Amino acid sequence: MKHSTKKMTLAALMAAFTCIATMVIKISTPTFGYIHLGDGLVLLCGITLGPGAGSLAAGIGSMFADIFSGYAAWAPATFIIKALTAYCMARLFYGLKLCTKSPLISKAGVIIGGAASEILMTAGYFFYETGLAAISAGGFSKTTLAAGAASSALGIPFNLVQGLTGILICSLLLPIFMKVPITRECILAPHN
């Protein structure tokens, strides 16, 4: 399935679902972030739509969730980080030939691709938070970067929990997506 109206419509729906899943259930963390269900949809964007459209849908949906939730300062970073997360998932899931009709192999693909993708997400937010902390402390010096890294490290466990939640949600939803004709067609189509 190339750039068809169906695929564009599905990409828009996936972006909306990602935004909604991110906003519906939010568990606040002590680091002023929140754990949510949206990462499961971010991973599914990569699997369902492939690296290009999946990255855009994941990034746009996650970015709008930040904007609508009062985290607008995070929106640009979220767009990039979540787009890269979906891109990584798609590349690993399809590159390792883990997309098959076999539910067991597909689950392995979700776990392998999801783990790498969510580690990328965690690292992305760590570096962004480190930069923000350094800027708010007066600029990029060894001292401000070290202090920023120390404070940003507190968010790593919460981002990892969010990532694990995303992998679980993706694992639970992928079999359902495989039963819906349009998403099944997209998942089983060749992706570049």
Short mmCIF file of all heavy atoms in Angstrom, two decimals, residues 17-49:
data_model
loop_
_atom_site.label_atom_id
_atom_site.label_comp_id
_atom_site.label_asym_id
_atom_site.label_seq_id
_atom_site.Cartn_x
_atom_site.Cartn_y
_atom_site.Cartn_z
N PHE A 17 -5.44 8.74 17.65
CA PHE A 17 -5.46 7.72 18.71
C PHE A 17 -4.25 7.86 19.63
O PHE A 17 -4.36 7.67 20.84
CB PHE A 17 -5.48 6.31 18.11
CG PHE A 17 -6.77 5.93 17.43
CD1 PHE A 17 -6.77 5.01 16.39
CD2 PHE A 17 -7.98 6.48 17.81
CE1 PHE A 17 -7.94 4.65 15.75
CE2 PHE A 17 -9.16 6.13 17.18
CZ PHE A 17 -9.14 5.22 16.15
N THR A 18 -3.10 8.19 19.06
CA THR A 18 -1.90 8.38 19.87
C THR A 18 -2.09 9.55 20.83
O THR A 18 -1.75 9.46 22.01
CB THR A 18 -0.67 8.61 18.97
OG1 THR A 18 -0.51 7.48 18.11
CG2 THR A 18 0.60 8.81 19.78
N CYS A 19 -2.64 10.64 20.32
CA CYS A 19 -2.91 11.82 21.15
C CYS A 19 -3.88 11.46 22.28
O CYS A 19 -3.62 11.76 23.45
CB CYS A 19 -3.47 12.94 20.28
SG CYS A 19 -3.84 14.46 21.18
N ILE A 20 -4.95 10.79 21.95
CA ILE A 20 -5.96 10.43 22.94
C ILE A 20 -5.40 9.46 23.98
O ILE A 20 -5.59 9.63 25.18
CB ILE A 20 -7.21 9.84 22.25
CG1 ILE A 20 -7.92 10.94 21.45
CG2 ILE A 20 -8.16 9.20 23.25
CD1 ILE A 20 -8.94 10.44 20.46
N ALA A 21 -4.68 8.44 23.52
CA ALA A 21 -4.10 7.46 24.45
C ALA A 21 -3.11 8.11 25.40
O ALA A 21 -2.98 7.70 26.56
CB ALA A 21 -3.43 6.33 23.68
N THR A 22 -2.41 9.14 24.91
CA THR A 22 -1.45 9.85 25.75
C THR A 22 -2.17 10.69 26.80
O THR A 22 -1.70 10.82 27.93
CB THR A 22 -0.54 10.74 24.88
OG1 THR A 22 0.11 9.92 23.91
CG2 THR A 22 0.50 11.46 25.71
N MET A 23 -3.32 11.22 26.46
CA MET A 23 -4.02 12.15 27.35
C MET A 23 -5.03 11.50 28.29
O MET A 23 -5.30 12.05 29.35
CB MET A 23 -4.74 13.21 26.50
CG MET A 23 -3.81 14.11 25.75
SD MET A 23 -4.67 15.30 24.73
CE MET A 23 -5.50 16.28 25.98
N VAL A 24 -5.59 10.36 27.92
CA VAL A 24 -6.70 9.79 28.69
C VAL A 24 -6.29 9.37 30.09
O VAL A 24 -6.92 9.76 31.07
CB VAL A 24 -7.34 8.61 27.92
CG1 VAL A 24 -8.29 7.84 28.78
CG2 VAL A 24 -8.06 9.13 26.70
N ILE A 25 -5.27 8.56 30.20
CA ILE A 25 -4.81 8.10 31.52
C ILE A 25 -3.39 8.63 31.69
O ILE A 25 -2.48 8.24 30.97
CB ILE A 25 -4.82 6.57 31.62
CG1 ILE A 25 -6.25 6.07 31.49
CG2 ILE A 25 -4.19 6.13 32.94
CD1 ILE A 25 -6.38 4.56 31.47
N LYS A 26 -3.25 9.54 32.65
CA LYS A 26 -1.93 10.13 32.92
C LYS A 26 -1.62 9.92 34.40
O LYS A 26 -2.41 10.30 35.25
CB LYS A 26 -1.90 11.62 32.60
CG LYS A 26 -2.07 11.94 31.15
CD LYS A 26 -1.79 13.38 30.83
CE LYS A 26 -2.90 14.27 31.30
NZ LYS A 26 -2.78 15.63 30.80
N ILE A 27 -0.48 9.33 34.66
CA ILE A 27 -0.02 9.14 36.02
C ILE A 27 1.16 10.08 36.22
O ILE A 27 2.22 9.89 35.63
CB ILE A 27 0.38 7.68 36.28
CG1 ILE A 27 -0.80 6.75 36.01
CG2 ILE A 27 0.90 7.50 37.71
CD1 ILE A 27 -0.44 5.29 35.90
N SER A 28 0.96 11.12 37.03
CA SER A 28 2.02 12.11 37.25
C SER A 28 3.21 11.48 37.94
O SER A 28 3.07 10.58 38.76
CB SER A 28 1.49 13.26 38.10
OG SER A 28 0.47 13.94 37.41
N THR A 29 4.39 11.99 37.58
CA THR A 29 5.63 11.51 38.20
C THR A 29 6.24 12.66 39.01
O THR A 29 5.92 13.82 38.77
CB THR A 29 6.64 11.04 37.14
OG1 THR A 29 7.04 12.17 36.35
CG2 THR A 29 6.05 9.96 36.24
N PRO A 30 7.11 12.33 39.95
CA PRO A 30 7.74 13.39 40.75
C PRO A 30 8.63 14.32 39.93
O PRO A 30 9.00 15.40 40.39
CB PRO A 30 8.61 12.62 41.76
CG PRO A 30 8.11 11.23 41.75
CD PRO A 30 7.46 11.01 40.43
N THR A 31 8.96 13.93 38.70
CA THR A 31 9.82 14.75 37.85
C THR A 31 9.00 15.67 36.94
O THR A 31 9.52 16.17 35.94
CB THR A 31 10.74 13.85 37.00
OG1 THR A 31 9.93 12.96 36.23
CG2 THR A 31 11.69 13.05 37.88
N PHE A 32 7.73 15.87 37.25
CA PHE A 32 6.81 16.76 36.53
C PHE A 32 6.43 16.23 35.15
O PHE A 32 5.89 16.98 34.35
CB PHE A 32 7.37 18.19 36.44
CG PHE A 32 7.67 18.78 37.78
CD1 PHE A 32 8.98 18.95 38.19
CD2 PHE A 32 6.64 19.11 38.64
CE1 PHE A 32 9.27 19.47 39.44
CE2 PHE A 32 6.92 19.63 39.90
CZ PHE A 32 8.23 19.82 40.30
N GLY A 33 6.67 14.98 34.89
CA GLY A 33 6.21 14.34 33.67
C GLY A 33 5.01 13.48 34.01
O GLY A 33 4.40 13.63 35.06
N TYR A 34 4.70 12.56 33.11
CA TYR A 34 3.62 11.63 33.40
C TYR A 34 3.80 10.36 32.59
O TYR A 34 4.37 10.35 31.52
CB TYR A 34 2.25 12.26 33.14
CG TYR A 34 2.01 12.79 31.74
CD1 TYR A 34 1.36 12.02 30.78
CD2 TYR A 34 2.42 14.07 31.38
CE1 TYR A 34 1.11 12.51 29.51
CE2 TYR A 34 2.18 14.57 30.11
CZ TYR A 34 1.52 13.78 29.18
OH TYR A 34 1.29 14.26 27.91
N ILE A 35 3.33 9.27 33.18
CA ILE A 35 3.33 7.97 32.50
C ILE A 35 1.96 7.84 31.84
O ILE A 35 0.93 8.17 32.45
CB ILE A 35 3.59 6.84 33.52
CG1 ILE A 35 4.99 7.00 34.12
CG2 ILE A 35 3.44 5.48 32.85
CD1 ILE A 35 5.28 6.08 35.28
N HIS A 36 1.94 7.37 30.62
CA HIS A 36 0.70 7.29 29.85
C HIS A 36 0.70 6.07 28.95
O HIS A 36 1.70 5.35 28.85
CB HIS A 36 0.51 8.57 29.03
CG HIS A 36 1.69 8.86 28.15
ND1 HIS A 36 1.89 8.24 26.94
CD2 HIS A 36 2.74 9.69 28.33
CE1 HIS A 36 3.01 8.69 26.40
NE2 HIS A 36 3.55 9.57 27.23
N LEU A 37 -0.42 5.85 28.28
CA LEU A 37 -0.57 4.69 27.39
C LEU A 37 -0.18 4.99 25.95
O LEU A 37 -0.18 4.10 25.11
CB LEU A 37 -2.03 4.21 27.43
CG LEU A 37 -2.58 3.88 28.81
CD1 LEU A 37 -4.04 3.46 28.72
CD2 LEU A 37 -1.76 2.80 29.48
N GLY A 38 0.19 6.22 25.67
CA GLY A 38 0.45 6.64 24.29
C GLY A 38 1.62 5.94 23.62
O GLY A 38 1.63 5.80 22.39
N ASP A 39 2.61 5.48 24.38
CA ASP A 39 3.75 4.84 23.74
C ASP A 39 3.36 3.54 23.05
O ASP A 39 3.99 3.14 22.07
CB ASP A 39 4.88 4.60 24.75
CG ASP A 39 5.81 5.79 24.85
OD1 ASP A 39 5.37 6.92 24.60
OD2 ASP A 39 6.98 5.58 25.15
N GLY A 40 2.33 2.87 23.53
CA GLY A 40 1.83 1.69 22.83
C GLY A 40 1.36 2.03 21.43
O GLY A 40 1.63 1.31 20.47
N LEU A 41 0.69 3.18 21.31
CA LEU A 41 0.24 3.63 20.00
C LEU A 41 1.39 4.15 19.15
O LEU A 41 1.39 4.00 17.93
CB LEU A 41 -0.84 4.71 20.16
CG LEU A 41 -2.27 4.21 20.34
CD1 LEU A 41 -2.80 3.57 19.10
CD2 LEU A 41 -2.48 3.35 21.53
N VAL A 42 2.39 4.75 19.79
CA VAL A 42 3.58 5.20 19.04
C VAL A 42 4.23 3.99 18.36
O VAL A 42 4.57 4.04 17.18
CB VAL A 42 4.58 5.91 19.98
CG1 VAL A 42 5.94 6.07 19.32
CG2 VAL A 42 4.03 7.26 20.42
N LEU A 43 4.39 2.90 19.11
CA LEU A 43 4.98 1.68 18.54
C LEU A 43 4.09 1.11 17.44
O LEU A 43 4.58 0.68 16.39
CB LEU A 43 5.22 0.65 19.63
CG LEU A 43 6.20 1.05 20.73
CD1 LEU A 43 6.26 -0.02 21.82
CD2 LEU A 43 7.58 1.35 20.18
N LEU A 44 2.78 1.13 17.66
CA LEU A 44 1.85 0.64 16.64
C LEU A 44 1.85 1.50 15.39
O LEU A 44 1.64 0.99 14.29
CB LEU A 44 0.43 0.53 17.21
CG LEU A 44 0.15 -0.72 18.01
CD1 LEU A 44 -1.21 -0.62 18.69
CD2 LEU A 44 0.23 -1.97 17.15
N CYS A 45 2.09 2.79 15.54
CA CYS A 45 2.21 3.66 14.36
C CYS A 45 3.35 3.16 13.47
O CYS A 45 3.19 3.05 12.25
CB CYS A 45 2.48 5.11 14.77
SG CYS A 45 1.06 6.02 15.38
N GLY A 46 4.49 2.86 14.07
CA GLY A 46 5.62 2.35 13.31
C GLY A 46 5.32 1.02 12.64
O GLY A 46 5.66 0.81 11.48
N ILE A 47 4.67 0.13 13.38
CA ILE A 47 4.35 -1.20 12.84
C ILE A 47 3.30 -1.09 11.74
O ILE A 47 3.43 -1.70 10.68
CB ILE A 47 3.86 -2.14 13.96
CG1 ILE A 47 5.01 -2.47 14.91
CG2 ILE A 47 3.25 -3.41 13.38
CD1 ILE A 47 4.57 -3.23 16.16
N THR A 48 2.25 -0.34 11.99
CA THR A 48 1.13 -0.29 11.06
C THR A 48 1.44 0.50 9.79
O THR A 48 1.09 0.09 8.69
CB THR A 48 -0.11 0.32 11.75
OG1 THR A 48 -0.39 -0.41 12.93
CG2 THR A 48 -1.33 0.29 10.85
N LEU A 49 2.11 1.63 9.95
CA LEU A 49 2.30 2.54 8.82
C LEU A 49 3.70 2.54 8.23
O LEU A 49 3.94 3.17 7.22
CB LEU A 49 1.94 3.97 9.26
CG LEU A 49 0.49 4.14 9.71
CD1 LEU A 49 0.33 5.46 10.46
CD2 LEU A 49 -0.45 4.05 8.53
#
